[in-house]
Amino acid sequence: MENLEEKRKSGAWLIGGLGGIAITVASGAFALGKGLIPPTGMVTETDNFRGLELLPADLLEFGGCDIRKGNALDIAQNILQESQNIGAACLPHITDRLKKYDSSIEQGLATNCGKTITSLSDTSNDTQVDLAVQVETIRQHLRSFKKENNLEEIVVVNLASTEPELPLREYHFDPAAFSTQITANNLDSVRASTIYTYAAILEGCPYINFTPSNGALIPALVKLAEETGVPVMGNDGKTGETLLKSILAPMFSSRNLEVLSWAGFNILGNMDGKVLDNPENKKSKLKSKDKLLSEILGYDPHSNVDINYVPSLSDQKIAWDFIHFQGFMGTKMSLQFTWQGYDSMLAAPIVLDLIRLALLAKKRGERGLMSHLGEFFKTPIEGKEYQHHRQHELLIHYAEQARKTIT
Ligand SMILES: NC(=O)c1ccc[n+]([C@@H]2O[C@H](COP(=O)([O-])OP(=O)(O)OC[C@H]3O[C@@H](n4cnc5c(N)ncnc54)[C@H](O)[C@@H]3O)[C@@H](O)[C@H]2O)c1
């Protein structure tokens, strides 16, 4: 145990640290470390990634922040029991690490996040604190986490609730102009996610935006990351309905079948679903889920995505998609699918993949967008490729190149 603690030189700092995904990521890593669960669902545990010297999950230290108060152990118990998997049986063996994780959770920010997120917050006085001070506070949290755990590197992952869209202005495209807005304390120029990302980049921490919140990786911050040598990537983890879309849509293209309509209906019962029930927050998600269809097909079929909150489902997400398409002699046909998943269980293994790959990118001296990670996101930033199998080929190619440089 002591040896392992000494060996933990890298960490992950989870924004939204008491949320469903964050708790599953941490519990999953602890259980993996003890050999209690297999790494099913982790892409980086497949043969294509052997020999890359990716950090084993038990060598990661975890910390984070949240705007709510809560107990990581109780939250883990609820999630793992509700998902009726082998996780609940692991709890007694990972209690110590969950307690340590819990004690690391700092108070987060709810700056300009809209009323739904602000209503979750246990302290909603962020509007009274200057933006520059908020940036410094988060930088300080990151530095303390690093110092207290004797870490060399930390990856920051945004797993917080989806914010309303941030309207982009000219100053969001230039690092210097953006920095002026922080100094001028222009509250409208940021959401909380913007401050977290800015602080992470200034601290040299690789950064992943797993949420659809567009305020997180604004163009000015992507540029700043590029200039300062920090790897970053987003937006919005691709785990369920959109994953299937990015696999099925290319089939229609390759067989020259015309998609007339694609209608998707999602129901979910966790807190993410509750937040997305607010039209302002939902708009960010819908935009992200709908984009790839026209990108893959090369035209704009009629499409709509609906998301509804059904509390009794808890972490279960059900998506029913109806695809109406046209074939030879104008024959109209249809495909329907129903996807039933547990949101946090689908997301957590790929968050662990992203953390490991972000650490690798930092070690390799990469900067700016990690475009090889496109397959993990619904709307990969500046992504030119939306077809899942091609995105996966890009990642495998990257792994092959990276392996060659390992001495
Ligand atoms: N499969 C998936 O579950 C999936 C896929 C893609 C994206 N996402 C996105 O990942 C995010 C997390 O999902 P989840 O299911 O864990 O949600 P969740 O509601 O369980 O957790 C979100 C956590 O973030 C906290 N939070 C909200 N605003 C914050 C802020 N400004 N600073 C710090 N903490 C804050 C909340 O208190 C909560 O604990 C959501 O934005 C969701 O849309 C999820």
PDB file of all heavy atoms in Angstrom, residues 168-200:
ATOM      1  N   LEU A 168     -20.891  33.328 -27.919  1.00  0.00           N
ATOM      2  CA  LEU A 168     -19.485  33.674 -28.177  1.00  0.00           C
ATOM      3  C   LEU A 168     -19.359  35.058 -28.808  1.00  0.00           C
ATOM      4  O   LEU A 168     -20.077  35.400 -29.737  1.00  0.00           O
ATOM      5  CB  LEU A 168     -18.828  32.621 -29.074  1.00  0.00           C
ATOM      6  CG  LEU A 168     -18.651  31.223 -28.465  1.00  0.00           C
ATOM      7  CD1 LEU A 168     -17.814  30.332 -29.357  1.00  0.00           C
ATOM      8  CD2 LEU A 168     -18.042  31.270 -27.049  1.00  0.00           C
ATOM      9  N   ARG A 169     -18.453  35.868 -28.268  1.00  0.00           N
ATOM     10  CA  ARG A 169     -18.147  37.218 -28.769  1.00  0.00           C
ATOM     11  C   ARG A 169     -16.744  37.181 -29.364  1.00  0.00           C
ATOM     12  O   ARG A 169     -16.012  36.202 -29.207  1.00  0.00           O
ATOM     13  CB  ARG A 169     -18.181  38.244 -27.621  1.00  0.00           C
ATOM     14  CG  ARG A 169     -19.376  38.130 -26.727  1.00  0.00           C
ATOM     15  CD  ARG A 169     -20.552  38.938 -27.261  1.00  0.00           C
ATOM     16  NE  ARG A 169     -21.705  38.782 -26.392  1.00  0.00           N
ATOM     17  CZ  ARG A 169     -22.896  38.343 -26.785  1.00  0.00           C
ATOM     18  NH1 ARG A 169     -23.105  38.013 -28.047  1.00  0.00           N
ATOM     19  NH2 ARG A 169     -23.905  38.241 -25.937  1.00  0.00           N
ATOM     20  N   GLU A 170     -16.378  38.322 -29.960  1.00  0.00           N
ATOM     21  CA  GLU A 170     -15.054  38.391 -30.614  1.00  0.00           C
ATOM     22  C   GLU A 170     -13.916  38.045 -29.643  1.00  0.00           C
ATOM     23  O   GLU A 170     -12.962  37.350 -29.993  1.00  0.00           O
ATOM     24  CB  GLU A 170     -14.848  39.801 -31.159  1.00  0.00           C
ATOM     25  CG  GLU A 170     -14.108  39.815 -32.479  1.00  0.00           C
ATOM     26  CD  GLU A 170     -14.188  41.180 -33.118  1.00  0.00           C
ATOM     27  OE1 GLU A 170     -15.262  41.570 -33.587  1.00  0.00           O
ATOM     28  OE2 GLU A 170     -13.161  41.857 -33.086  1.00  0.00           O
ATOM     29  N   TYR A 171     -14.049  38.521 -28.398  1.00  0.00           N
ATOM     30  CA  TYR A 171     -12.958  38.296 -27.433  1.00  0.00           C
ATOM     31  C   TYR A 171     -12.800  36.830 -27.027  1.00  0.00           C
ATOM     32  O   TYR A 171     -11.814  36.459 -26.406  1.00  0.00           O
ATOM     33  CB  TYR A 171     -13.120  39.190 -26.191  1.00  0.00           C
ATOM     34  CG  TYR A 171     -14.458  39.116 -25.493  1.00  0.00           C
ATOM     35  CD1 TYR A 171     -14.843  37.997 -24.773  1.00  0.00           C
ATOM     36  CD2 TYR A 171     -15.347  40.192 -25.532  1.00  0.00           C
ATOM     37  CE1 TYR A 171     -16.067  37.940 -24.116  1.00  0.00           C
ATOM     38  CE2 TYR A 171     -16.575  40.145 -24.889  1.00  0.00           C
ATOM     39  CZ  TYR A 171     -16.931  39.023 -24.191  1.00  0.00           C
ATOM     40  OH  TYR A 171     -18.142  38.976 -23.544  1.00  0.00           O
ATOM     41  N   HIS A 172     -13.779  35.990 -27.394  1.00  0.00           N
ATOM     42  CA  HIS A 172     -13.641  34.562 -27.077  1.00  0.00           C
ATOM     43  C   HIS A 172     -12.720  33.833 -28.043  1.00  0.00           C
ATOM     44  O   HIS A 172     -12.491  32.631 -27.910  1.00  0.00           O
ATOM     45  CB  HIS A 172     -15.019  33.879 -27.089  1.00  0.00           C
ATOM     46  CG  HIS A 172     -15.857  34.204 -25.889  1.00  0.00           C
ATOM     47  ND1 HIS A 172     -17.097  34.797 -25.961  1.00  0.00           N
ATOM     48  CD2 HIS A 172     -15.607  34.035 -24.559  1.00  0.00           C
ATOM     49  CE1 HIS A 172     -17.584  34.968 -24.741  1.00  0.00           C
ATOM     50  NE2 HIS A 172     -16.696  34.514 -23.878  1.00  0.00           N
ATOM     51  N   PHE A 173     -12.209  34.576 -29.028  1.00  0.00           N
ATOM     52  CA  PHE A 173     -11.375  33.933 -30.049  1.00  0.00           C
ATOM     53  C   PHE A 173      -9.897  34.277 -29.900  1.00  0.00           C
ATOM     54  O   PHE A 173      -9.081  33.798 -30.670  1.00  0.00           O
ATOM     55  CB  PHE A 173     -11.883  34.326 -31.458  1.00  0.00           C
ATOM     56  CG  PHE A 173     -13.220  33.694 -31.754  1.00  0.00           C
ATOM     57  CD1 PHE A 173     -14.404  34.221 -31.249  1.00  0.00           C
ATOM     58  CD2 PHE A 173     -13.294  32.519 -32.497  1.00  0.00           C
ATOM     59  CE1 PHE A 173     -15.634  33.608 -31.488  1.00  0.00           C
ATOM     60  CE2 PHE A 173     -14.517  31.902 -32.749  1.00  0.00           C
ATOM     61  CZ  PHE A 173     -15.690  32.455 -32.240  1.00  0.00           C
ATOM     62  N   ASP A 174      -9.583  35.122 -28.924  1.00  0.00           N
ATOM     63  CA  ASP A 174      -8.195  35.575 -28.801  1.00  0.00           C
ATOM     64  C   ASP A 174      -7.766  35.526 -27.325  1.00  0.00           C
ATOM     65  O   ASP A 174      -8.426  36.119 -26.459  1.00  0.00           O
ATOM     66  CB  ASP A 174      -8.111  37.018 -29.336  1.00  0.00           C
ATOM     67  CG  ASP A 174      -6.731  37.580 -29.132  1.00  0.00           C
ATOM     68  OD1 ASP A 174      -5.790  37.073 -29.769  1.00  0.00           O
ATOM     69  OD2 ASP A 174      -6.595  38.518 -28.303  1.00  0.00           O
ATOM     70  N   PRO A 175      -6.671  34.809 -27.015  1.00  0.00           N
ATOM     71  CA  PRO A 175      -6.282  34.656 -25.600  1.00  0.00           C
ATOM     72  C   PRO A 175      -6.086  35.990 -24.871  1.00  0.00           C
ATOM     73  O   PRO A 175      -6.561  36.148 -23.732  1.00  0.00           O
ATOM     74  CB  PRO A 175      -4.959  33.880 -25.680  1.00  0.00           C
ATOM     75  CG  PRO A 175      -4.995  33.161 -26.980  1.00  0.00           C
ATOM     76  CD  PRO A 175      -5.797  34.022 -27.917  1.00  0.00           C
ATOM     77  N   ALA A 176      -5.427  36.956 -25.526  1.00  0.00           N
ATOM     78  CA  ALA A 176      -5.148  38.220 -24.826  1.00  0.00           C
ATOM     79  C   ALA A 176      -6.455  38.977 -24.574  1.00  0.00           C
ATOM     80  O   ALA A 176      -6.682  39.511 -23.469  1.00  0.00           O
ATOM     81  CB  ALA A 176      -4.189  39.067 -25.657  1.00  0.00           C
ATOM     82  N   ALA A 177      -7.327  39.011 -25.592  1.00  0.00           N
ATOM     83  CA  ALA A 177      -8.604  39.727 -25.440  1.00  0.00           C
ATOM     84  C   ALA A 177      -9.453  39.055 -24.363  1.00  0.00           C
ATOM     85  O   ALA A 177     -10.124  39.732 -23.566  1.00  0.00           O
ATOM     86  CB  ALA A 177      -9.349  39.745 -26.774  1.00  0.00           C
ATOM     87  N   PHE A 178      -9.401  37.725 -24.289  1.00  0.00           N
ATOM     88  CA  PHE A 178     -10.183  37.006 -23.271  1.00  0.00           C
ATOM     89  C   PHE A 178      -9.655  37.326 -21.874  1.00  0.00           C
ATOM     90  O   PHE A 178     -10.419  37.612 -20.950  1.00  0.00           O
ATOM     91  CB  PHE A 178     -10.153  35.491 -23.532  1.00  0.00           C
ATOM     92  CG  PHE A 178     -10.754  34.721 -22.407  1.00  0.00           C
ATOM     93  CD1 PHE A 178     -12.128  34.768 -22.178  1.00  0.00           C
ATOM     94  CD2 PHE A 178      -9.964  33.987 -21.529  1.00  0.00           C
ATOM     95  CE1 PHE A 178     -12.698  34.087 -21.101  1.00  0.00           C
ATOM     96  CE2 PHE A 178     -10.519  33.315 -20.454  1.00  0.00           C
ATOM     97  CZ  PHE A 178     -11.883  33.364 -20.244  1.00  0.00           C
ATOM     98  N   SER A 179      -8.324  37.348 -21.756  1.00  0.00           N
ATOM     99  CA  SER A 179      -7.717  37.615 -20.456  1.00  0.00           C
ATOM    100  C   SER A 179      -8.130  39.013 -19.946  1.00  0.00           C
ATOM    101  O   SER A 179      -8.343  39.215 -18.738  1.00  0.00           O
ATOM    102  CB  SER A 179      -6.205  37.461 -20.617  1.00  0.00           C
ATOM    103  OG  SER A 179      -5.538  38.155 -19.649  1.00  0.00           O
ATOM    104  N   THR A 180      -8.281  39.963 -20.889  1.00  0.00           N
ATOM    105  CA  THR A 180      -8.709  41.314 -20.510  1.00  0.00           C
ATOM    106  C   THR A 180     -10.114  41.281 -19.880  1.00  0.00           C
ATOM    107  O   THR A 180     -10.413  42.043 -18.959  1.00  0.00           O
ATOM    108  CB  THR A 180      -8.727  42.219 -21.771  1.00  0.00           C
ATOM    109  OG1 THR A 180      -7.497  42.050 -22.432  1.00  0.00           O
ATOM    110  CG2 THR A 180      -8.919  43.677 -21.437  1.00  0.00           C
ATOM    111  N   GLN A 181     -10.971  40.404 -20.388  1.00  0.00           N
ATOM    112  CA  GLN A 181     -12.340  40.311 -19.842  1.00  0.00           C
ATOM    113  C   GLN A 181     -12.310  39.804 -18.395  1.00  0.00           C
ATOM    114  O   GLN A 181     -13.112  40.216 -17.569  1.00  0.00           O
ATOM    115  CB  GLN A 181     -13.195  39.337 -20.692  1.00  0.00           C
ATOM    116  CG  GLN A 181     -13.328  39.715 -22.138  1.00  0.00           C
ATOM    117  CD  GLN A 181     -13.880  41.100 -22.322  1.00  0.00           C
ATOM    118  OE1 GLN A 181     -14.881  41.470 -21.709  1.00  0.00           O
ATOM    119  NE2 GLN A 181     -13.218  41.889 -23.152  1.00  0.00           N
ATOM    120  N   ILE A 182     -11.360  38.915 -18.121  1.00  0.00           N
ATOM    121  CA  ILE A 182     -11.242  38.396 -16.738  1.00  0.00           C
ATOM    122  C   ILE A 182     -10.805  39.539 -15.820  1.00  0.00           C
ATOM    123  O   ILE A 182     -11.394  39.766 -14.762  1.00  0.00           O
ATOM    124  CB  ILE A 182     -10.229  37.227 -16.681  1.00  0.00           C
ATOM    125  CG1 ILE A 182     -10.695  36.057 -17.545  1.00  0.00           C
ATOM    126  CG2 ILE A 182      -9.966  36.777 -15.234  1.00  0.00           C
ATOM    127  CD1 ILE A 182     -11.877  35.285 -17.010  1.00  0.00           C
ATOM    128  N   THR A 183      -9.786  40.279 -16.278  1.00  0.00           N
ATOM    129  CA  THR A 183      -9.296  41.390 -15.454  1.00  0.00           C
ATOM    130  C   THR A 183     -10.397  42.433 -15.258  1.00  0.00           C
ATOM    131  O   THR A 183     -10.545  43.012 -14.185  1.00  0.00           O
ATOM    132  CB  THR A 183      -8.075  42.050 -16.149  1.00  0.00           C
ATOM    133  OG1 THR A 183      -7.253  41.007 -16.640  1.00  0.00           O
ATOM    134  CG2 THR A 183      -7.294  42.928 -15.201  1.00  0.00           C
ATOM    135  N   ALA A 184     -11.210  42.648 -16.307  1.00  0.00           N
ATOM    136  CA  ALA A 184     -12.276  43.663 -16.224  1.00  0.00           C
ATOM    137  C   ALA A 184     -13.501  43.120 -15.476  1.00  0.00           C
ATOM    138  O   ALA A 184     -14.502  43.813 -15.327  1.00  0.00           O
ATOM    139  CB  ALA A 184     -12.672  44.091 -17.632  1.00  0.00           C
ATOM    140  N   ASN A 185     -13.418  41.862 -15.050  1.00  0.00           N
ATOM    141  CA  ASN A 185     -14.495  41.225 -14.298  1.00  0.00           C
ATOM    142  C   ASN A 185     -15.819  41.205 -15.077  1.00  0.00           C
ATOM    143  O   ASN A 185     -16.884  41.448 -14.516  1.00  0.00           O
ATOM    144  CB  ASN A 185     -14.670  41.921 -12.941  1.00  0.00           C
ATOM    145  CG  ASN A 185     -15.372  41.031 -11.932  1.00  0.00           C
ATOM    146  OD1 ASN A 185     -15.248  39.808 -11.996  1.00  0.00           O
ATOM    147  ND2 ASN A 185     -16.140  41.626 -11.040  1.00  0.00           N
ATOM    148  N   ASN A 186     -15.734  40.896 -16.358  1.00  0.00           N
ATOM    149  CA  ASN A 186     -16.945  40.818 -17.188  1.00  0.00           C
ATOM    150  C   ASN A 186     -17.587  39.441 -17.021  1.00  0.00           C
ATOM    151  O   ASN A 186     -17.190  38.473 -17.669  1.00  0.00           O
ATOM    152  CB  ASN A 186     -16.578  41.075 -18.666  1.00  0.00           C
ATOM    153  CG  ASN A 186     -17.790  40.911 -19.569  1.00  0.00           C
ATOM    154  OD1 ASN A 186     -18.915  40.705 -19.085  1.00  0.00           O
ATOM    155  ND2 ASN A 186     -17.573  40.998 -20.871  1.00  0.00           N
ATOM    156  N   LEU A 187     -18.597  39.399 -16.168  1.00  0.00           N
ATOM    157  CA  LEU A 187     -19.238  38.127 -15.805  1.00  0.00           C
ATOM    158  C   LEU A 187     -19.846  37.422 -17.019  1.00  0.00           C
ATOM    159  O   LEU A 187     -19.865  36.186 -17.097  1.00  0.00           O
ATOM    160  CB  LEU A 187     -20.322  38.418 -14.758  1.00  0.00           C
ATOM    161  CG  LEU A 187     -20.813  37.239 -13.945  1.00  0.00           C
ATOM    162  CD1 LEU A 187     -19.713  36.703 -13.054  1.00  0.00           C
ATOM    163  CD2 LEU A 187     -22.023  37.640 -13.110  1.00  0.00           C
ATOM    164  N   ASP A 188     -20.327  38.216 -17.981  1.00  0.00           N
ATOM    165  CA  ASP A 188     -20.970  37.618 -19.165  1.00  0.00           C
ATOM    166  C   ASP A 188     -19.982  36.897 -20.068  1.00  0.00           C
ATOM    167  O   ASP A 188     -20.388  36.195 -20.986  1.00  0.00           O
ATOM    168  CB  ASP A 188     -21.671  38.709 -20.007  1.00  0.00           C
ATOM    169  CG  ASP A 188     -22.854  39.278 -19.266  1.00  0.00           C
ATOM    170  OD1 ASP A 188     -23.360  38.583 -18.372  1.00  0.00           O
ATOM    171  OD2 ASP A 188     -23.252  40.423 -19.574  1.00  0.00           O
ATOM    172  N   SER A 189     -18.687  37.106 -19.850  1.00  0.00           N
ATOM    173  CA  SER A 189     -17.702  36.499 -20.751  1.00  0.00           C
ATOM    174  C   SER A 189     -17.412  35.040 -20.386  1.00  0.00           C
ATOM    175  O   SER A 189     -16.707  34.355 -21.108  1.00  0.00           O
ATOM    176  CB  SER A 189     -16.385  37.302 -20.719  1.00  0.00           C
ATOM    177  OG  SER A 189     -15.762  37.169 -19.458  1.00  0.00           O
ATOM    178  N   VAL A 190     -17.939  34.592 -19.255  1.00  0.00           N
ATOM    179  CA  VAL A 190     -17.599  33.237 -18.787  1.00  0.00           C
ATOM    180  C   VAL A 190     -18.816  32.487 -18.242  1.00  0.00           C
ATOM    181  O   VAL A 190     -19.832  33.080 -17.893  1.00  0.00           O
ATOM    182  CB  VAL A 190     -16.567  33.273 -17.632  1.00  0.00           C
ATOM    183  CG1 VAL A 190     -15.257  33.867 -18.069  1.00  0.00           C
ATOM    184  CG2 VAL A 190     -17.127  34.009 -16.421  1.00  0.00           C
ATOM    185  N   ARG A 191     -18.652  31.183 -18.195  1.00  0.00           N
ATOM    186  CA  ARG A 191     -19.462  30.324 -17.317  1.00  0.00           C
ATOM    187  C   ARG A 191     -18.421  29.727 -16.361  1.00  0.00           C
ATOM    188  O   ARG A 191     -17.213  29.857 -16.601  1.00  0.00           O
ATOM    189  CB  ARG A 191     -20.144  29.204 -18.106  1.00  0.00           C
ATOM    190  CG  ARG A 191     -21.053  29.711 -19.205  1.00  0.00           C
ATOM    191  CD  ARG A 191     -22.507  29.526 -18.831  1.00  0.00           C
ATOM    192  NE  ARG A 191     -23.404  29.866 -19.915  1.00  0.00           N
ATOM    193  CZ  ARG A 191     -24.242  30.906 -19.895  1.00  0.00           C
ATOM    194  NH1 ARG A 191     -24.279  31.721 -18.836  1.00  0.00           N
ATOM    195  NH2 ARG A 191     -25.058  31.134 -20.895  1.00  0.00           N
ATOM    196  N   ALA A 192     -18.874  28.982 -15.356  1.00  0.00           N
ATOM    197  CA  ALA A 192     -17.913  28.372 -14.421  1.00  0.00           C
ATOM    198  C   ALA A 192     -16.907  27.520 -15.179  1.00  0.00           C
ATOM    199  O   ALA A 192     -15.700  27.526 -14.883  1.00  0.00           O
ATOM    200  CB  ALA A 192     -18.658  27.526 -13.396  1.00  0.00           C
ATOM    201  N   SER A 193     -17.395  26.791 -16.198  1.00  0.00           N
ATOM    202  CA  SER A 193     -16.493  25.883 -16.938  1.00  0.00           C
ATOM    203  C   SER A 193     -15.336  26.654 -17.577  1.00  0.00           C
ATOM    204  O   SER A 193     -14.233  26.117 -17.696  1.00  0.00           O
ATOM    205  CB  SER A 193     -17.274  25.103 -18.003  1.00  0.00           C
ATOM    206  OG  SER A 193     -17.764  25.970 -18.987  1.00  0.00           O
ATOM    207  N   THR A 194     -15.587  27.900 -17.976  1.00  0.00           N
ATOM    208  CA  THR A 194     -14.530  28.695 -18.617  1.00  0.00           C
ATOM    209  C   THR A 194     -13.412  28.967 -17.619  1.00  0.00           C
ATOM    210  O   THR A 194     -12.219  28.894 -17.947  1.00  0.00           O
ATOM    211  CB  THR A 194     -15.101  30.048 -19.130  1.00  0.00           C
ATOM    212  OG1 THR A 194     -16.448  29.867 -19.537  1.00  0.00           O
ATOM    213  CG2 THR A 194     -14.273  30.615 -20.260  1.00  0.00           C
ATOM    214  N   ILE A 195     -13.822  29.265 -16.385  1.00  0.00           N
ATOM    215  CA  ILE A 195     -12.820  29.579 -15.352  1.00  0.00           C
ATOM    216  C   ILE A 195     -11.980  28.345 -15.016  1.00  0.00           C
ATOM    217  O   ILE A 195     -10.757  28.411 -14.904  1.00  0.00           O
ATOM    218  CB  ILE A 195     -13.515  30.133 -14.090  1.00  0.00           C
ATOM    219  CG1 ILE A 195     -14.203  31.440 -14.481  1.00  0.00           C
ATOM    220  CG2 ILE A 195     -12.537  30.348 -12.946  1.00  0.00           C
ATOM    221  CD1 ILE A 195     -15.028  32.043 -13.403  1.00  0.00           C
ATOM    222  N   TYR A 196     -12.660  27.201 -14.900  1.00  0.00           N
ATOM    223  CA  TYR A 196     -11.920  25.961 -14.615  1.00  0.00           C
ATOM    224  C   TYR A 196     -10.879  25.688 -15.714  1.00  0.00           C
ATOM    225  O   TYR A 196      -9.742  25.333 -15.425  1.00  0.00           O
ATOM    226  CB  TYR A 196     -12.867  24.761 -14.570  1.00  0.00           C
ATOM    227  CG  TYR A 196     -13.809  24.704 -13.378  1.00  0.00           C
ATOM    228  CD1 TYR A 196     -15.186  24.597 -13.556  1.00  0.00           C
ATOM    229  CD2 TYR A 196     -13.325  24.704 -12.073  1.00  0.00           C
ATOM    230  CE1 TYR A 196     -16.055  24.506 -12.482  1.00  0.00           C
ATOM    231  CE2 TYR A 196     -14.193  24.616 -10.988  1.00  0.00           C
ATOM    232  CZ  TYR A 196     -15.550  24.520 -11.196  1.00  0.00           C
ATOM    233  OH  TYR A 196     -16.402  24.430 -10.125  1.00  0.00           O
ATOM    234  N   THR A 197     -11.326  25.825 -16.964  1.00  0.00           N
ATOM    235  CA  THR A 197     -10.418  25.500 -18.075  1.00  0.00           C
ATOM    236  C   THR A 197      -9.234  26.466 -18.089  1.00  0.00           C
ATOM    237  O   THR A 197      -8.085  26.052 -18.276  1.00  0.00           O
ATOM    238  CB  THR A 197     -11.157  25.591 -19.436  1.00  0.00           C
ATOM    239  OG1 THR A 197     -12.405  24.932 -19.312  1.00  0.00           O
ATOM    240  CG2 THR A 197     -10.358  24.955 -20.549  1.00  0.00           C
ATOM    241  N   TYR A 198      -9.533  27.745 -17.898  1.00  0.00           N
ATOM    242  CA  TYR A 198      -8.480  28.769 -17.908  1.00  0.00           C
ATOM    243  C   TYR A 198      -7.447  28.450 -16.820  1.00  0.00           C
ATOM    244  O   TYR A 198      -6.232  28.428 -17.064  1.00  0.00           O
ATOM    245  CB  TYR A 198      -9.137  30.126 -17.670  1.00  0.00           C
ATOM    246  CG  TYR A 198      -8.254  31.336 -17.909  1.00  0.00           C
ATOM    247  CD1 TYR A 198      -7.310  31.363 -18.940  1.00  0.00           C
ATOM    248  CD2 TYR A 198      -8.398  32.479 -17.115  1.00  0.00           C
ATOM    249  CE1 TYR A 198      -6.517  32.490 -19.156  1.00  0.00           C
ATOM    250  CE2 TYR A 198      -7.625  33.609 -17.330  1.00  0.00           C
ATOM    251  CZ  TYR A 198      -6.677  33.608 -18.351  1.00  0.00           C
ATOM    252  OH  TYR A 198      -5.909  34.715 -18.560  1.00  0.00           O
ATOM    253  N   ALA A 199      -7.961  28.146 -15.618  1.00  0.00           N
ATOM    254  CA  ALA A 199      -7.057  27.840 -14.496  1.00  0.00           C
ATOM    255  C   ALA A 199      -6.222  26.599 -14.812  1.00  0.00           C
ATOM    256  O   ALA A 199      -5.011  26.572 -14.552  1.00  0.00           O
ATOM    257  CB  ALA A 199      -7.871  27.628 -13.215  1.00  0.00           C
ATOM    258  N   ALA A 200      -6.864  25.569 -15.374  1.00  0.00           N
ATOM    259  CA  ALA A 200      -6.145  24.314 -15.671  1.00  0.00           C
ATOM    260  C   ALA A 200      -5.024  24.587 -16.674  1.00  0.00           C
ATOM    261  O   ALA A 200      -3.887  24.123 -16.492  1.00  0.00           O
ATOM    262  CB  ALA A 200      -7.113  23.270 -16.226  1.00  0.00           C
TER     263      ALA A 200
END
